[in-house]
Amino acid sequence: MPDRQRSILVTGCSSGIGLACARGLAERGWRVIASARNALDVQRLVDEGLTAVRLDLDDPASIADGLTESLSLTGGHLDALFNNGAYGQPGAVEDLTREALRAQFETNLFGWHDLTRRVVPLMRAQGHGRIVQNSSVLGLVA
């Protein structure tokens, strides 16, 4: 890898694991692009001193724009993608509508897939890169 700061795009940085990882990686010298779907959360991240972009995994245009902005901030390189942005859907099976589950899959599955599809060719062209898929403990205790 050339002599440049390693870069990572982290999704879901409005709170929790994404925020903690963005802070921790920044402290360790990474060029962190923290993303969140809500503009107010993006501003809060910037106010905290992080580089942040709006990226809503439920919106393909937002995914494209967020990645484009991220790459402009890193000079077109991305060493890692941390797919973290997601949300839970608590409730009994009989109470969850098809629409609610479709909305969750849009973000938690199709959004991750879309972003990853866009990043893989870049990493392949660079000759390196890591993609980390994160899940909560709820995936183990269902």
Side-chain angles (χ1 to χ4, degrees):
M1 190 166 28
D3 284 337
R4 64 175 170 73
Q5 189 177 28
R6 293 178 296 175
S7 60
I8 184 168
L9 172 59
V10 182
T11 64
C13 293
S14 61
S15 65
I17 294 169
L19 180 57
C21 286
R23 288 173 175 160
L25 288 165
E27 289 170 4
R28 287 169 179 78
W30 282 74
R31 174 65 192 259
V32 175
I33 310 301
S35 72
R37 63 181 166 183
N38 181 304
L40 293 174
D41 289 328
V42 171
Q43 187 57 54
R44 183 176 44 80
L45 293 166
V46 169
D47 292 345
E48 182 179 319
L50 291 167
T51 302
V53 300
R54 184 178 176 282
L55 195 156
D56 183 349
L57 291 167
D58 192 29
D59 178 0
S62 178
I63 293 169
D65 292 345
L67 180 58
T68 297
E69 186 177 352
S70 298
L71 292 173
S72 74
L73 292 165
T74 64
H77 296 279
L78 193 62
D79 298 298
L81 167 63
F82 182 44
N83 275 322
N84 170 73
Y87 68 93
Q89 192 69 265
V93 170
E94 62 191 343
D95 295 331
L96 296 174
T97 65
R98 180 180 283 237
E99 293 75 25
L101 292 174
R102 282 189 196 278
Q104 184 180 19
F105 269 67
E106 253 332 296
T107 296
N108 295 7
L109 176 66
F110 298 121
W112 283 26
H113 176 260
D114 187 357
L115 180 56
T116 302
R117 277 186 64 249
R118 295 169 190 267
V119 168
V120 166
L122 169 72
M123 290 181 173
R124 192 173 281 133
Q126 297 175 156
H128 73 277
R130 293 273 168 125
I131 299 172
V132 177
Q133 311 284 37
N134 186 46
S135 177
S136 83
V137 70
L138 293 176
L140 300 174
V141 296

